[in-house]
Amino acid sequence: MNDIRKAFFADLAASVDPVTFARSLGIDPDPWQRDLLLSTDARIILNCARQSGKSTITAVLALHHALNNFEALVLVLSRSLRQSSELFKKITWFYRDLGRPVPSDIENALTLQLVNKSRIVSLPGKEQTVRGFSGVSLLIIDEAAQVSDELYYSVRPMLAVSQGRMILLSTPFGKRGFFFKEWSESPAWKKVKITAEQCPRISTDFLEEERVALGEWWYRQEYECEFSENVDAYFSYEEIRDSISADVKPLFAPDGSLNV
Ligand SMILES: Nc1ncnc2c1ncn2[C@@H]1O[C@H](COP(=O)(O)OP(=O)(O)O)[C@@H](O)[C@H]1O
Ligand SMILES: [Mg+2]
């Protein structure tokens, strides 16, 4: 095979196979990252340790999706624009590294729009600015445990008509909010948990040092992906859940009168 044909087939392989695509970006995916790239699940939660590579591999997935689909709309959302932009920047760096295989119409700090009409947009963590998008094919929520429930429930309908996919990625942040609720209660999600010990790039020496520096509570959360009781909680989550009873009438009726 001559060099041009080889290059053509190598490009073609990268365009259909996201693992080859990741390698062409210099990233040899860990086994769980590989599974993610090959997964077709519509709802995925990545509960992974800090620095395990969740933002990187989601950025690869997002770019592969936009390059290989027509009119794809990828939204990157987090608790603030600065945080969303971290992941968005990874996407644009990869895109440039590849030599812009599909040319762009718009390429700025918030939007990458390609000539195949696919768009990747970085969004601020504000409900008002986020509403208004529809036909979303991939919704990515980075550091999801820090994103408000209001924002999460306001963006979910964007996927309704398009049957788009959603990926939540985060380390836990206490037993609260939608990230904990979806992880612990909802069967609709593919759930992936990767602790720091499972990450080949994080050394045991570093982790020992972190355990001492952070203390058990933070260490378990940041590196072992445990949903710890909130530090200031007086009752545990399980105690509160088990004490809720449908047999007890609320103290006040809807009109404000005492419910006796
Ligand atoms: N499979 C991989 N091979 C090599 N380096 C990787 C891989 N996955 C992630 N990294 C690197 O690890 C570091 C942390 O990745 P990042 O995606 O920011 O982690 P997280 O979002 O989980 O905190 C980055 O420098 C990234 O380039
Ligand atoms: Mg990250």
Side-chain angles (χ1 to χ4, degrees):
M1 224 185 327
N2 68 31
D3 284 349
I4 294 175
R5 278 174 69 87
K6 262 193 215 155
F8 173 79
F9 283 111
D11 279 355
L12 194 66
S15 78
V16 291
D17 168 22
V19 177
T20 313
F21 179 75
R23 292 199 181 114
S24 70
L25 287 162
I27 293 164
D28 191 13
D30 298 341
W32 71 269
Q33 291 178 319
R34 194 174 174 281
D35 287 350
L36 174 75
L37 292 175
L38 298 175
S39 152
T40 54
D41 293 272
R43 303 276 177 268
I44 302 175
I45 303 184
L46 303 178
N47 172 15
C48 305
R50 222 151 268 284
Q51 292 294 304
S52 56
K54 52 193 177 307
S55 298
T56 302
I57 208 62
T58 308
V60 171
L61 182 85
L63 181 59
H64 184 266
H65 177 79
L67 290 173
N68 292 289
N69 289 281
F70 185 70
E71 289 187 340
L73 176 55
V74 179
L75 298 184
V76 181
L77 182 63
S78 195
R79 68 169 190 273
S80 64
L81 185 59
R82 197 195 56 75
Q83 187 67 45
S84 314
S85 298
E86 288 298 310
L87 201 150
F88 181 76
K89 267 189 244 161
K90 286 186 204 281
I91 297 175
T92 50
W93 286 333
F94 288 151
Y95 173 67
R96 286 167 204 160
D97 262 12
L98 287 175
R100 298 179 170 82
V102 175
S104 64
D105 281 334
I106 301 172
E107 199 179 328
N108 59 37
L110 302 178
T111 304
L112 174 62
Q113 185 172 311
L114 307 175
V115 292
N116 64 4
K117 298 198 174 166
S118 287
R119 259 188 311 161
I120 305 176
V121 184
S122 174
L123 294 168
K126 300 261 181 324
E127 238 181 286
Q128 303 87 316
T129 20
V130 166
R131 282 172 192 273
F133 284 95
S134 61
V136 178
S137 52
L138 177 61
L139 174 62
I140 296 167
I141 309 187
D142 195 12
E143 299 295 351
Q146 314 264 348
V147 167
S148 73
D149 283 4
E150 289 75 19
L151 185 57
Y152 174 66
Y153 292 113
S154 72
V155 295
R156 282 190 59 106
M158 289 176 186
L159 301 166
V161 177
S162 56
Q163 313 266 307
R165 301 176 80 195
M166 170 158 46
I167 306 179
L168 308 180
L169 42 149
S170 199
T171 47
F173 189 56
K175 289 187 173 183
R176 65 180 138 211
F178 73 91
F179 186 70
F180 170 60
K181 195 171 158 55
E182 301 290 26
W183 176 265
S184 55
E185 293 175 16
S186 170
W189 297 80
K190 174 189 171 74
K191 296 170 186 174
V192 181
K193 175 177 168 176
I194 299 294
T195 65
E197 274 183 17
Q198 292 169 280
C199 177
R201 289 169 298 281
I202 304 179
S203 75
T204 351
D205 285 352
F206 174 79
L207 290 178
E208 278 317 307
E209 192 188 333
E210 285 293 279
R211 194 189 283 278
V212 175
L214 265 64
E216 274 305 311
W217 192 90
W218 282 104
Y219 183 85
R220 276 207 295 272
Q221 181 169 277
E222 304 293 307
Y223 292 109
E224 293 180 342
C225 315
E226 294 292 330
F227 287 88
S228 305
E229 221 56 70
N230 302 340
V231 205
D232 53 359
Y234 188 74
F235 296 106
S236 75
Y237 169 77
E238 281 78 14
E239 280 169 331
I240 294 171
R241 188 195 56 200
D242 295 345
S243 68
I244 294 171
S245 162
D247 301 335
V248 180
K249 274 200 285 184
L251 191 56
F252 294 100
D255 65 1
S257 64
L258 208 54
N259 215 349
V260 282

mmCIF file of all heavy atoms in Angstrom, residues 143-183:
data_model
loop_
_atom_site.group_PDB
_atom_site.id
_atom_site.type_symbol
_atom_site.label_atom_id
_atom_site.label_comp_id
_atom_site.label_asym_id
_atom_site.label_seq_id
_atom_site.Cartn_x
_atom_site.Cartn_y
_atom_site.Cartn_z
ATOM 1 N N GLU A 143 -17.328 18.188 37.105
ATOM 2 C CA GLU A 143 -17.400 18.479 38.552
ATOM 3 C C GLU A 143 -18.867 18.559 38.970
ATOM 4 O O GLU A 143 -19.298 19.473 39.666
ATOM 5 C CB GLU A 143 -16.650 19.780 38.889
ATOM 6 C CG GLU A 143 -15.164 19.768 38.551
ATOM 7 C CD GLU A 143 -14.341 18.750 39.380
ATOM 8 O OE1 GLU A 143 -14.884 18.164 40.342
ATOM 9 O OE2 GLU A 143 -13.183 18.522 39.019
ATOM 10 N N ALA A 144 -19.627 17.559 38.541
ATOM 11 C CA ALA A 144 -21.090 17.584 38.701
ATOM 12 C C ALA A 144 -21.558 17.706 40.157
ATOM 13 O O ALA A 144 -22.607 18.303 40.428
ATOM 14 C CB ALA A 144 -21.688 16.327 38.064
ATOM 15 N N ALA A 145 -20.771 17.167 41.097
ATOM 16 C CA ALA A 145 -21.202 17.227 42.508
ATOM 17 C C ALA A 145 -21.261 18.673 43.007
ATOM 18 O O ALA A 145 -21.888 18.961 44.028
ATOM 19 C CB ALA A 145 -20.261 16.401 43.381
ATOM 20 N N GLN A 146 -20.617 19.593 42.291
ATOM 21 C CA GLN A 146 -20.602 21.004 42.718
ATOM 22 C C GLN A 146 -21.640 21.834 41.971
ATOM 23 O O GLN A 146 -21.762 23.030 42.207
ATOM 24 C CB GLN A 146 -19.219 21.610 42.412
ATOM 25 C CG GLN A 146 -18.051 20.760 42.819
ATOM 26 C CD GLN A 146 -17.498 21.158 44.173
ATOM 27 O OE1 GLN A 146 -17.845 22.208 44.699
ATOM 28 N NE2 GLN A 146 -16.659 20.327 44.735
ATOM 29 N N VAL A 147 -22.359 21.186 41.054
ATOM 30 C CA VAL A 147 -23.366 21.912 40.261
ATOM 31 C C VAL A 147 -24.702 21.866 41.000
ATOM 32 O O VAL A 147 -25.050 20.847 41.610
ATOM 33 C CB VAL A 147 -23.481 21.263 38.855
ATOM 34 C CG1 VAL A 147 -24.704 21.745 38.096
ATOM 35 C CG2 VAL A 147 -22.210 21.530 38.055
ATOM 36 N N SER A 148 -25.463 22.971 40.957
ATOM 37 C CA SER A 148 -26.717 23.021 41.732
ATOM 38 C C SER A 148 -27.786 22.117 41.120
ATOM 39 O O SER A 148 -27.803 21.879 39.910
ATOM 40 C CB SER A 148 -27.242 24.459 41.787
ATOM 41 O OG SER A 148 -27.760 24.819 40.526
ATOM 42 N N ASP A 149 -28.685 21.652 41.973
ATOM 43 C CA ASP A 149 -29.815 20.837 41.506
ATOM 44 C C ASP A 149 -30.676 21.631 40.514
ATOM 45 O O ASP A 149 -31.161 21.084 39.530
ATOM 46 C CB ASP A 149 -30.694 20.416 42.688
ATOM 47 C CG ASP A 149 -30.045 19.278 43.478
ATOM 48 O OD1 ASP A 149 -28.913 18.888 43.146
ATOM 49 O OD2 ASP A 149 -30.684 18.794 44.436
ATOM 50 N N GLU A 150 -30.847 22.929 40.774
ATOM 51 C CA GLU A 150 -31.688 23.768 39.896
ATOM 52 C C GLU A 150 -31.153 23.720 38.469
ATOM 53 O O GLU A 150 -31.888 23.556 37.506
ATOM 54 C CB GLU A 150 -31.694 25.240 40.360
ATOM 55 C CG GLU A 150 -32.449 25.525 41.630
ATOM 56 C CD GLU A 150 -31.700 25.051 42.874
ATOM 57 O OE1 GLU A 150 -30.468 24.826 42.793
ATOM 58 O OE2 GLU A 150 -32.358 24.865 43.919
ATOM 59 N N LEU A 151 -29.830 23.871 38.356
ATOM 60 C CA LEU A 151 -29.221 23.870 37.025
ATOM 61 C C LEU A 151 -29.388 22.502 36.367
ATOM 62 O O LEU A 151 -29.785 22.398 35.200
ATOM 63 C CB LEU A 151 -27.738 24.244 37.142
ATOM 64 C CG LEU A 151 -26.977 24.415 35.841
ATOM 65 C CD1 LEU A 151 -27.635 25.468 34.973
ATOM 66 C CD2 LEU A 151 -25.525 24.807 36.107
ATOM 67 N N TYR A 152 -29.124 21.456 37.122
ATOM 68 C CA TYR A 152 -29.232 20.096 36.571
ATOM 69 C C TYR A 152 -30.646 19.816 36.072
ATOM 70 O O TYR A 152 -30.832 19.346 34.940
ATOM 71 C CB TYR A 152 -28.840 19.087 37.649
ATOM 72 C CG TYR A 152 -29.045 17.648 37.242
ATOM 73 C CD1 TYR A 152 -28.295 17.086 36.215
ATOM 74 C CD2 TYR A 152 -29.994 16.844 37.884
ATOM 75 C CE1 TYR A 152 -28.474 15.763 35.833
ATOM 76 C CE2 TYR A 152 -30.171 15.516 37.512
ATOM 77 C CZ TYR A 152 -29.420 14.980 36.489
ATOM 78 O OH TYR A 152 -29.606 13.676 36.102
ATOM 79 N N TYR A 153 -31.653 20.129 36.886
ATOM 80 C CA TYR A 153 -33.020 19.806 36.463
ATOM 81 C C TYR A 153 -33.486 20.730 35.333
ATOM 82 O O TYR A 153 -34.384 20.376 34.580
ATOM 83 C CB TYR A 153 -33.978 19.810 37.662
ATOM 84 C CG TYR A 153 -33.666 18.643 38.595
ATOM 85 C CD1 TYR A 153 -33.166 18.845 39.867
ATOM 86 C CD2 TYR A 153 -33.821 17.326 38.146
ATOM 87 C CE1 TYR A 153 -32.835 17.761 40.696
ATOM 88 C CE2 TYR A 153 -33.487 16.248 38.956
ATOM 89 C CZ TYR A 153 -33.001 16.470 40.223
ATOM 90 O OH TYR A 153 -32.668 15.402 41.018
ATOM 91 N N SER A 154 -32.855 21.891 35.190
ATOM 92 C CA SER A 154 -33.265 22.754 34.075
ATOM 93 C C SER A 154 -32.596 22.338 32.754
ATOM 94 O O SER A 154 -33.104 22.680 31.694
ATOM 95 C CB SER A 154 -33.002 24.230 34.396
ATOM 96 O OG SER A 154 -31.628 24.475 34.357
ATOM 97 N N VAL A 155 -31.470 21.641 32.819
ATOM 98 C CA VAL A 155 -30.839 21.246 31.546
ATOM 99 C C VAL A 155 -31.309 19.881 31.034
ATOM 100 O O VAL A 155 -31.232 19.608 29.838
ATOM 101 C CB VAL A 155 -29.284 21.264 31.589
ATOM 102 C CG1 VAL A 155 -28.774 22.674 31.783
ATOM 103 C CG2 VAL A 155 -28.722 20.327 32.642
ATOM 104 N N ARG A 156 -31.789 19.024 31.909
ATOM 105 C CA ARG A 156 -32.195 17.682 31.482
ATOM 106 C C ARG A 156 -33.183 17.666 30.299
ATOM 107 O O ARG A 156 -33.027 16.860 29.387
ATOM 108 C CB ARG A 156 -32.785 16.900 32.658
ATOM 109 C CG ARG A 156 -31.729 16.334 33.601
ATOM 110 C CD ARG A 156 -32.382 15.385 34.583
ATOM 111 N NE ARG A 156 -33.040 14.308 33.893
ATOM 112 C CZ ARG A 156 -32.583 13.049 33.840
ATOM 113 N NH1 ARG A 156 -31.478 12.732 34.449
ATOM 114 N NH2 ARG A 156 -33.244 12.130 33.185
ATOM 115 N N PRO A 157 -34.199 18.567 30.294
ATOM 116 C CA PRO A 157 -35.166 18.534 29.183
ATOM 117 C C PRO A 157 -34.548 18.768 27.804
ATOM 118 O O PRO A 157 -35.130 18.403 26.784
ATOM 119 C CB PRO A 157 -36.148 19.666 29.528
ATOM 120 C CG PRO A 157 -36.003 19.879 30.990
ATOM 121 C CD PRO A 157 -34.589 19.555 31.322
ATOM 122 N N MET A 158 -33.352 19.349 27.767
ATOM 123 C CA MET A 158 -32.703 19.595 26.468
ATOM 124 C C MET A 158 -32.443 18.309 25.700
ATOM 125 O O MET A 158 -32.214 18.323 24.506
ATOM 126 C CB MET A 158 -31.322 20.227 26.685
ATOM 127 C CG MET A 158 -31.357 21.618 27.159
ATOM 128 S SD MET A 158 -29.646 22.065 27.450
ATOM 129 C CE MET A 158 -29.879 23.653 28.170
ATOM 130 N N LEU A 159 -32.421 17.198 26.422
ATOM 131 C CA LEU A 159 -32.105 15.918 25.783
ATOM 132 C C LEU A 159 -33.365 15.195 25.318
ATOM 133 O O LEU A 159 -33.282 14.188 24.615
ATOM 134 C CB LEU A 159 -31.361 15.007 26.770
ATOM 135 C CG LEU A 159 -30.037 15.553 27.316
ATOM 136 C CD1 LEU A 159 -29.585 14.740 28.502
ATOM 137 C CD2 LEU A 159 -28.970 15.531 26.236
ATOM 138 N N ALA A 160 -34.520 15.725 25.713
ATOM 139 C CA ALA A 160 -35.777 14.988 25.527
ATOM 140 C C ALA A 160 -36.020 14.603 24.074
ATOM 141 O O ALA A 160 -36.195 13.435 23.753
ATOM 142 C CB ALA A 160 -36.931 15.809 26.067
ATOM 143 N N VAL A 161 -36.005 15.575 23.182
ATOM 144 C CA VAL A 161 -36.376 15.322 21.798
ATOM 145 C C VAL A 161 -35.224 14.675 21.030
ATOM 146 O O VAL A 161 -35.416 13.755 20.242
ATOM 147 C CB VAL A 161 -36.822 16.637 21.116
ATOM 148 C CG1 VAL A 161 -37.152 16.405 19.655
ATOM 149 C CG2 VAL A 161 -38.020 17.217 21.855
ATOM 150 N N SER A 162 -34.008 15.125 21.320
ATOM 151 C CA SER A 162 -32.845 14.643 20.558
ATOM 152 C C SER A 162 -32.370 13.264 20.996
ATOM 153 O O SER A 162 -31.525 12.669 20.334
ATOM 154 C CB SER A 162 -31.689 15.628 20.727
ATOM 155 O OG SER A 162 -31.407 15.788 22.103
ATOM 156 N N GLN A 163 -32.910 12.756 22.130
ATOM 157 C CA GLN A 163 -32.436 11.462 22.661
ATOM 158 C C GLN A 163 -30.926 11.493 22.882
ATOM 159 O O GLN A 163 -30.232 10.500 22.656
ATOM 160 C CB GLN A 163 -32.736 10.303 21.688
ATOM 161 C CG GLN A 163 -34.125 10.283 21.143
ATOM 162 C CD GLN A 163 -35.025 9.389 21.965
ATOM 163 O OE1 GLN A 163 -34.743 8.242 22.212
ATOM 164 N NE2 GLN A 163 -36.125 9.943 22.423
ATOM 165 N N GLY A 164 -30.439 12.656 23.304
ATOM 166 C CA GLY A 164 -28.990 12.810 23.465
ATOM 167 C C GLY A 164 -28.439 12.060 24.665
ATOM 168 O O GLY A 164 -29.179 11.577 25.512
ATOM 169 N N ARG A 165 -27.108 12.006 24.703
ATOM 170 C CA ARG A 165 -26.431 11.321 25.810
ATOM 171 C C ARG A 165 -26.029 12.332 26.884
ATOM 172 O O ARG A 165 -25.864 13.514 26.605
ATOM 173 C CB ARG A 165 -25.154 10.639 25.315
ATOM 174 C CG ARG A 165 -25.376 9.626 24.242
ATOM 175 C CD ARG A 165 -24.050 9.072 23.749
ATOM 176 N NE ARG A 165 -23.518 8.057 24.654
ATOM 177 C CZ ARG A 165 -22.257 7.612 24.633
ATOM 178 N NH1 ARG A 165 -21.396 8.120 23.789
ATOM 179 N NH2 ARG A 165 -21.854 6.677 25.459
ATOM 180 N N MET A 166 -25.824 11.821 28.081
ATOM 181 C CA MET A 166 -25.378 12.703 29.164
ATOM 182 C C MET A 166 -24.290 12.004 29.974
ATOM 183 O O MET A 166 -24.414 10.826 30.313
ATOM 184 C CB MET A 166 -26.563 13.057 30.057
ATOM 185 C CG MET A 166 -26.163 13.761 31.335
ATOM 186 S SD MET A 166 -27.475 14.732 32.123
ATOM 187 C CE MET A 166 -28.864 13.673 32.080
ATOM 188 N N ILE A 167 -23.239 12.738 30.272
ATOM 189 C CA ILE A 167 -22.161 12.196 31.104
ATOM 190 C C ILE A 167 -21.942 13.127 32.289
ATOM 191 O O ILE A 167 -21.725 14.335 32.108
ATOM 192 C CB ILE A 167 -20.834 12.065 30.312
ATOM 193 C CG1 ILE A 167 -21.057 11.248 29.030
ATOM 194 C CG2 ILE A 167 -19.748 11.414 31.170
ATOM 195 C CD1 ILE A 167 -19.825 11.083 28.163
ATOM 196 N N LEU A 168 -22.040 12.576 33.489
ATOM 197 C CA LEU A 168 -21.722 13.342 34.696
ATOM 198 C C LEU A 168 -20.345 12.891 35.162
ATOM 199 O O LEU A 168 -20.117 11.686 35.306
ATOM 200 C CB LEU A 168 -22.713 13.036 35.827
ATOM 201 C CG LEU A 168 -24.209 13.148 35.548
ATOM 202 C CD1 LEU A 168 -24.984 12.808 36.813
ATOM 203 C CD2 LEU A 168 -24.560 14.542 35.056
ATOM 204 N N LEU A 169 -19.438 13.834 35.390
ATOM 205 C CA LEU A 169 -18.135 13.424 35.902
ATOM 206 C C LEU A 169 -17.780 14.244 37.125
ATOM 207 O O LEU A 169 -18.001 15.447 37.143
ATOM 208 C CB LEU A 169 -17.030 13.501 34.839
ATOM 209 C CG LEU A 169 -16.935 14.660 33.887
ATOM 210 C CD1 LEU A 169 -15.504 14.916 33.521
ATOM 211 C CD2 LEU A 169 -17.739 14.362 32.656
ATOM 212 N N SER A 170 -17.275 13.546 38.137
ATOM 213 C CA SER A 170 -16.997 14.258 39.378
ATOM 214 C C SER A 170 -16.302 13.370 40.391
ATOM 215 O O SER A 170 -16.289 12.141 40.250
ATOM 216 C CB SER A 170 -18.325 14.728 39.992
ATOM 217 O OG SER A 170 -18.111 15.753 40.932
ATOM 218 N N THR A 171 -15.745 14.023 41.414
ATOM 219 C CA THR A 171 -15.486 13.313 42.657
ATOM 220 C C THR A 171 -16.684 13.655 43.540
ATOM 221 O O THR A 171 -17.336 14.673 43.321
ATOM 222 C CB THR A 171 -14.183 13.814 43.341
ATOM 223 O OG1 THR A 171 -14.202 15.234 43.344
ATOM 224 C CG2 THR A 171 -12.968 13.331 42.615
ATOM 225 N N PRO A 172 -17.007 12.813 44.532
ATOM 226 C CA PRO A 172 -18.174 13.112 45.367
ATOM 227 C C PRO A 172 -17.981 14.407 46.172
ATOM 228 O O PRO A 172 -16.856 14.885 46.335
ATOM 229 C CB PRO A 172 -18.231 11.914 46.323
ATOM 230 C CG PRO A 172 -17.464 10.838 45.663
ATOM 231 C CD PRO A 172 -16.380 11.535 44.903
ATOM 232 N N PHE A 173 -19.093 14.961 46.636
ATOM 233 C CA PHE A 173 -19.024 16.128 47.524
ATOM 234 C C PHE A 173 -20.129 15.973 48.563
ATOM 235 O O PHE A 173 -21.163 16.623 48.506
ATOM 236 C CB PHE A 173 -19.187 17.419 46.717
ATOM 237 C CG PHE A 173 -18.927 18.666 47.518
ATOM 238 C CD1 PHE A 173 -17.726 18.845 48.185
ATOM 239 C CD2 PHE A 173 -19.884 19.668 47.602
ATOM 240 C CE1 PHE A 173 -17.487 19.985 48.924
ATOM 241 C CE2 PHE A 173 -19.649 20.824 48.327
ATOM 242 C CZ PHE A 173 -18.445 20.983 48.992
ATOM 243 N N GLY A 174 -19.935 15.056 49.476
ATOM 244 C CA GLY A 174 -20.934 14.796 50.523
ATOM 245 C C GLY A 174 -22.144 14.039 49.991
ATOM 246 O O GLY A 174 -22.279 13.824 48.779
ATOM 247 N N LYS A 175 -22.989 13.619 50.946
ATOM 248 C CA LYS A 175 -24.204 12.880 50.544
ATOM 249 C C LYS A 175 -25.319 13.876 50.286
ATOM 250 O O LYS A 175 -26.230 14.047 51.099
ATOM 251 C CB LYS A 175 -24.597 11.924 51.665
ATOM 252 C CG LYS A 175 -23.650 10.751 51.808
ATOM 253 C CD LYS A 175 -24.188 9.750 52.803
ATOM 254 C CE LYS A 175 -23.325 8.510 52.804
ATOM 255 N NZ LYS A 175 -23.814 7.465 53.699
ATOM 256 N N ARG A 176 -25.207 14.577 49.178
ATOM 257 C CA ARG A 176 -26.234 15.576 48.888
ATOM 258 C C ARG A 176 -26.273 15.820 47.382
ATOM 259 O O ARG A 176 -25.332 15.493 46.662
ATOM 260 C CB ARG A 176 -25.912 16.880 49.603
ATOM 261 C CG ARG A 176 -24.634 17.485 49.054
ATOM 262 C CD ARG A 176 -24.255 18.776 49.706
ATOM 263 N NE ARG A 176 -22.825 18.791 49.935
ATOM 264 C CZ ARG A 176 -22.223 19.408 50.923
ATOM 265 N NH1 ARG A 176 -22.912 20.068 51.796
ATOM 266 N NH2 ARG A 176 -20.918 19.371 51.026
ATOM 267 N N GLY A 177 -27.381 16.431 46.945
ATOM 268 C CA GLY A 177 -27.482 16.883 45.564
ATOM 269 C C GLY A 177 -27.737 15.763 44.566
ATOM 270 O O GLY A 177 -27.736 14.581 44.897
ATOM 271 N N PHE A 178 -27.963 16.179 43.325
ATOM 272 C CA PHE A 178 -28.358 15.216 42.278
ATOM 273 C C PHE A 178 -27.263 14.196 41.978
ATOM 274 O O PHE A 178 -27.551 13.059 41.640
ATOM 275 C CB PHE A 178 -28.777 15.961 40.997
ATOM 276 C CG PHE A 178 -27.621 16.555 40.242
ATOM 277 C CD1 PHE A 178 -26.968 15.835 39.251
ATOM 278 C CD2 PHE A 178 -27.178 17.842 40.514
ATOM 279 C CE1 PHE A 178 -25.889 16.368 38.562
ATOM 280 C CE2 PHE A 178 -26.096 18.382 39.833
ATOM 281 C CZ PHE A 178 -25.454 17.645 38.859
ATOM 282 N N PHE A 179 -26.004 14.587 42.101
ATOM 283 C CA PHE A 179 -24.930 13.650 41.748
ATOM 284 C C PHE A 179 -24.979 12.431 42.681
ATOM 285 O O PHE A 179 -24.923 11.284 42.238
ATOM 286 C CB PHE A 179 -23.565 14.345 41.826
ATOM 287 C CG PHE A 179 -22.417 13.487 41.346
ATOM 288 C CD1 PHE A 179 -22.274 13.173 40.001
ATOM 289 C CD2 PHE A 179 -21.481 12.991 42.248
ATOM 290 C CE1 PHE A 179 -21.224 12.366 39.558
ATOM 291 C CE2 PHE A 179 -20.427 12.192 41.810
ATOM 292 C CZ PHE A 179 -20.303 11.885 40.466
ATOM 293 N N PHE A 180 -25.153 12.702 43.957
ATOM 294 C CA PHE A 180 -25.263 11.611 44.938
ATOM 295 C C PHE A 180 -26.551 10.820 44.717
ATOM 296 O O PHE A 180 -26.562 9.589 44.753
ATOM 297 C CB PHE A 180 -25.228 12.192 46.362
ATOM 298 C CG PHE A 180 -25.563 11.179 47.416
ATOM 299 C CD1 PHE A 180 -24.790 10.030 47.568
ATOM 300 C CD2 PHE A 180 -26.658 11.358 48.244
ATOM 301 C CE1 PHE A 180 -25.108 9.074 48.533
ATOM 302 C CE2 PHE A 180 -26.979 10.411 49.211
ATOM 303 C CZ PHE A 180 -26.203 9.267 49.356
ATOM 304 N N LYS A 181 -27.644 11.547 44.436
ATOM 305 C CA LYS A 181 -28.950 10.892 44.270
ATOM 306 C C LYS A 181 -28.932 9.950 43.057
ATOM 307 O O LYS A 181 -29.349 8.788 43.150
ATOM 308 C CB LYS A 181 -30.025 11.976 44.087
ATOM 309 C CG LYS A 181 -31.439 11.490 44.247
ATOM 310 C CD LYS A 181 -32.374 12.705 44.269
ATOM 311 C CE LYS A 181 -33.791 12.349 43.892
ATOM 312 N NZ LYS A 181 -34.397 11.305 44.674
ATOM 313 N N GLU A 182 -28.432 10.432 41.928
ATOM 314 C CA GLU A 182 -28.390 9.599 40.729
ATOM 315 C C GLU A 182 -27.468 8.388 40.958
ATOM 316 O O GLU A 182 -27.791 7.268 40.575
ATOM 317 C CB GLU A 182 -27.894 10.390 39.504
ATOM 318 C CG GLU A 182 -28.719 11.607 39.123
ATOM 319 C CD GLU A 182 -30.092 11.272 38.552
ATOM 320 O OE1 GLU A 182 -30.645 10.209 38.859
ATOM 321 O OE2 GLU A 182 -30.632 12.116 37.806
ATOM 322 N N TRP A 183 -26.335 8.654 41.601
ATOM 323 C CA TRP A 183 -25.365 7.580 41.826
ATOM 324 C C TRP A 183 -25.953 6.503 42.743
ATOM 325 O O TRP A 183 -25.826 5.309 42.493
ATOM 326 C CB TRP A 183 -24.079 8.145 42.444
ATOM 327 C CG TRP A 183 -23.068 7.096 42.782
ATOM 328 C CD1 TRP A 183 -22.897 6.501 44.017
ATOM 329 C CD2 TRP A 183 -22.121 6.469 41.912
ATOM 330 N NE1 TRP A 183 -21.895 5.562 43.954
ATOM 331 C CE2 TRP A 183 -21.395 5.524 42.672
ATOM 332 C CE3 TRP A 183 -21.804 6.622 40.554
ATOM 333 C CZ2 TRP A 183 -20.382 4.735 42.130
ATOM 334 C CZ3 TRP A 183 -20.795 5.834 40.013
ATOM 335 C CH2 TRP A 183 -20.106 4.901 40.795
#
